[in-house]
Amino acid sequence: MKKILALMTASLMISACVSHQQKDATGFFLRSEFSWWEAKREYEFKTSSENQAVIYVDLQNDGQPYHIKIADKAWSSGKNCGVYNGNSNTIKLSETVKLTCPKLTKEEMLMPLAGAIKFTPTINTKYKFIVYMQNNKPVSLNIELAKPN
């Protein structure tokens, strides 16, 4: 009986953890060269407050910019966010850039660099990517140095 109770308790704890992770997940991923443009779980934005989602990423300063997009798992039209419409596609540390998530043609959806934001790290360290959300969609991006624990 004790074994059954222990197994049931462990099962409940695991399911609570899984549901907590799913609740905090936004369904949007930080996509770039460092993720091979894939929607990897470790690059999924997690809700940190009512209108913000964050992800922490170690980046190297090799003098080359990273190309960044915020997109869902399927690169869906309307959920493939970057900078479009002739706006500057470069973001600097502690700067906020407005994102657009336009309806794209099938051909445009196959080109991940279209609308990508360029970010060149200043030092080799962990960076905090903050996405501001509105109606469950990313509307702007900010990049900061992550504060040490």
Side-chain angles (χ1 to χ4, degrees):
M1 181 70 169
K2 286 183 180 180
K3 287 183 181 180
I4 292 173
L5 186 57
L7 285 172
M8 288 176 63
T9 302
S11 174
L12 285 171
M13 290 175 67
I14 290 170
S15 68
C17 289
V18 168
S19 97
H20 180 70
Q21 288 174 347
Q22 291 171 344
K23 178 184 167 212
D24 292 341
T26 61
F28 284 93
F29 298 82
L30 181 64
R31 292 175 165 231
S32 184
E33 292 88 352
F34 53 78
S35 69
W36 296 96
W37 295 102
E38 294 179 14
K40 294 183 178 181
R41 177 164 285 168
E42 62 264 30
Y43 297 115
E44 184 172 11
F45 282 93
K46 304 288 188 270
T47 303
S48 64
S49 69
E50 187 175 328
N51 296 319
Q52 289 184 12
V54 299
I55 185 93
Y56 294 88
V57 179
D58 286 309
L59 296 178
Q60 302 298 311
N61 172 16
D62 63 2
Q64 298 298 312
Y66 288 96
H67 299 85
I68 297 166
K69 295 286 287 275
I70 313 300
D72 70 352
K73 202 171 227 175
W75 291 104
S76 303
S77 183
K79 294 183 177 181
N80 181 346
C81 309
V83 177
Y84 296 87
N85 305 327
N87 295 330
S88 171
N89 68 341
T90 300
I91 187 171
K92 294 185 171 120
L93 198 59
S94 300
E95 181 178 66
T96 300
V97 170
K98 184 178 177 185
L99 297 172
T100 52
C101 309
K103 301 288 184 197
L104 300 173
T105 65
K106 287 182 182 181
E107 293 79 24
E108 290 171 323
M109 286 190 291
L110 295 174
M111 299 184 301
L113 288 178
I117 302 161
K118 293 180 188 176
F119 174 67
T120 305
T122 53
I123 58 174
N124 298 342
T125 193
K126 187 172 290 229
Y127 290 83
K128 179 181 181 181
F129 289 77
I130 306 163
V131 169
Y132 298 90
M133 307 287 283
Q134 191 172 61
N135 299 323
N136 297 319
K137 288 180 89 172
V139 292
S140 61
L141 171 68
N142 179 280
I143 303 172
E144 301 176 358
L145 290 174
K147 293 185 171 60
N149 294 338

